[in-house]
Amino acid sequence: MNESTPELTLVSLSEIARLANVRPSNVSNWRSRNTDFPAASSRSARGDLYPLADVLTWLVHAKKIDEDQLLGRLLWNAAEVTRGSERALTACLLYVAAHPYIPKASAKPGEGANDRRVLNVRKGINHMHLVKHYFRCDVDLEPDEIAALLPTFDGLESLLVNTPASRVADALIEEYSRHLGKASLPHTSRPLQRLLASLVWHPDGNTRSNHTVLDPAVGTGGLLTAAIDAQPAGVQSINAVDINAFAVNVTGLRLAARDLAADIQRRNVLTDDPFPELKADAVVVDPPYGMRLYDTMLSAPLTAAMGRASHTSLDWAWVFYASDHLTEDGRAVVLLPSGALTRGGAEADLRSEVLRRGLVEALIALPGGLAHGTAIPLTAIVLRAPGHRDRGADILMIDATRTDWDWKTDPHTAVDELASAFHHAQRYELPDQIASHMANVPLLDALAPGASLAPAHWIPRVNNISQFDATDTLSTTLERLEQARQAAAAVSTVGFSDPRRDAAPEWVTVESLIERRILRLHRAPVVKHSEFTTDGIPVLTVTSVTQLDGHPNGYIDPSDERLQKARLTERGDVVFATIGAKAVVDNIGGCFPAAHVVVIEILDQDVIDPYVLAAFLSTDAVAALSTGTTIQRVDLRHASIPLLPPNQAAHLSSWLYVLRAEADAATEWLGSVAETKSALIQAAGAGVSVVPAESDRSSLDQSTATTVLVRQEATRQ
């Protein structure tokens, strides 16, 4: 902990749980499993009590919470009145921003202490308005309000003694948004604030001191202040817009706590731009996703850019707005839902227009769960100005959803490494440590008809490991397989030799195999689950493929007219679930494929084996091609598979058969283990136990002990 962390009182386990935002049972587990957990110093009706300073130090050291989060929890306890109250939060932020100007004068004779304190707070706020003439806030606190908030201000005072006002303000807003969740103001999470702020500045421009920054959807101002803090040379001009009056006040107070002047406007920036001529060095945008306009018109520049798409989703309007407000060497970063990169219709035309103008510098796919109030995956779009000298350069694609970074428990490290890799790739070349997750895509390739902008479509996944690494991995896997065979008593009659390195196979897309008349795809009319019958033609659903290994999950009436329009499966067909990305070989035939199920007919099995095809279509590489905001599906045509030589394909097919047989045997063995466990528990309740024979107790470590049933008569009372 640093010196700014306050020392308070003793706390119980339940109070520690509130500080760490976990259940009390979690804290009990920490105490029992960690020998360095602080020792209790006393006990009361609340249970064991622990020194708060020691607890805070341990929480941060054990990475249960970071220092910013910890400050927020302390503030939340001190300023509990702000929960769900816009007025109270604004009052606390006013107090924090005006703290340097609040006089410490004592009460005069005949004057109550609280009356003097109320007067001091009002004087401090009024003085701040005079000193910070640029400051804008529409809230004026009445004396009665200040008097009611004095206990809260006392809690803030104890923290402001050693903690910068900017950190206190940030933590207050963070905790307010965290508590309200989706009901709060538009709020950018800390990891996304840190990421976008790291991406938006050019490292070569850090020597200048006259930078201009713009956030046209500022919300609570966290992203804007993060961008300002990320510029070491300082920012000269700060500009922000939001349609919400409370957001404008909160952002103004956040900046006032940093003693920063800004031009913050309350407008709908897409219809009434307050900065039509502004050109900024950095533009950061975390907009409301999927917004639409029905009764109003976009501003003239955006209407011209959006065309017929002006009344559909306005996600791409933020891209045009950001790029139009850049200086020649400026950079913008816009967060959009990943679905905006794949939706068709008018939005597809907008994507092509953005590419044609040469605005896209990079596309970074991010995992779901990073945004505040939603779990949808996002994409950070890095933009350059329309007239930039590199507007025809390659587009850097980064898929940050499948790296080894721990986005859940250590997002700050993930952000730092991703930003470092981005800047390295922009200035030099793709860094070795994550080169397999990045690709430079020529602009003309991205503009090709039907091309996707999702980074996963451009980055190879399966064959990005060297043959030597693959050999070592396979050898290790086979050793583990042999151990599993012995442990499960699942002895196979097929042996294996050491792995050998052959020529690398040719990788092709499913779409190219369709064009070469090797494969043919079949889809059937949609049948709802409510239309299933108890008998008739078996139906293969997504559940059939992903969970039931190809067994039917329902039936359809043989007289249903939709059967006339559909091709039933045949034995040897490969059935692929676009939701869940898994494929199985249909060994039954005569099944009706339901929605989101594609039947792959193999026209030439000399080229590709059905079991080999199903195996490669069930890999994580294909699953990563999923797109969509609410329900993610895979466009099978974009999946890549290798064309193996006939002997390799035969060997692999044999291995897949053997492994499936062993998996079935292992499943049966695990099932018997579960049944035995249940029987042992029931027997123990009846006074029956199973103990190892005396002569075999020393052999338990080799898992070969012999057991003997010993029945014990239940003791009667």
Side-chain angles (χ1 to χ4, degrees), residues 627-651:
T627 58
T629 301
T630 305
I631 300 177
Q632 294 198 328
R633 304 178 181 86
V634 173
D635 187 344
L636 186 59
R637 297 170 301 171
H638 295 301
S640 296
I641 59 174
L643 291 182
L644 301 178
N647 60 330
Q648 287 187 24
H651 293 159

Side-chain angles (χ1 to χ4, degrees), residues 202 279-281 326-331 384-389:
H202 290 278
K279 298 297 182 181
D281 300 293
L326 286 175
T327 60
E328 184 177 347
D329 292 324
R331 176 182 285 166
R384 60 171 71 93
H388 195 277
R389 58 184 175 276

Side-chain angles (χ1 to χ4, degrees), residues 504-587:
E506 175 192 2
W507 285 78
V508 296
T509 63
V510 170
E511 188 171 28
S512 67
L513 293 176
I514 295 173
E515 294 173 352
R516 292 160 61 176
R517 301 185 182 280
I518 297 174
L519 301 179
R520 181 183 295 153
L521 304 186
H522 300 277
R523 292 180 175 85
V526 176
V527 176
K528 299 179 181 179
H529 280 272
S530 59
E531 299 175 309
F532 285 5
T533 59
T534 56
D535 56 15
I537 304 299
V539 178
L540 294 178
T541 64
V542 170
T543 303
S544 301
V545 179
T546 59
Q547 300 180 28
L548 302 179
D549 293 323
H551 295 287
N553 192 34
Y555 298 88
I556 186 175
D557 190 335
S559 62
D560 195 309
E561 62 180 9
R562 284 170 291 191
L563 289 172
Q564 307 300 324
K565 304 177 183 178
R567 173 189 178 274
L568 301 183
T569 63
E570 297 180 1
R571 294 185 62 182
D573 285 347
V574 175
V575 184
F576 179 78
T578 60
I579 300 176
K582 184 178 178 181
V584 296
V585 178
D586 184 9
N587 293 314

Side-chain angles (χ1 to χ4, degrees), residues 106-116:
S106 302
K108 298 178 181 179
E111 184 181 37
N114 282 349
D115 293 338
R116 168 50 57 179

Side-chain angles (χ1 to χ4, degrees), residues 295-311:
D295 300 325
T296 56
M297 293 294 294
L298 295 173
S299 63
L302 289 180
T303 299
M306 296 285 288
R308 65 187 179 91
S310 59
H311 290 285

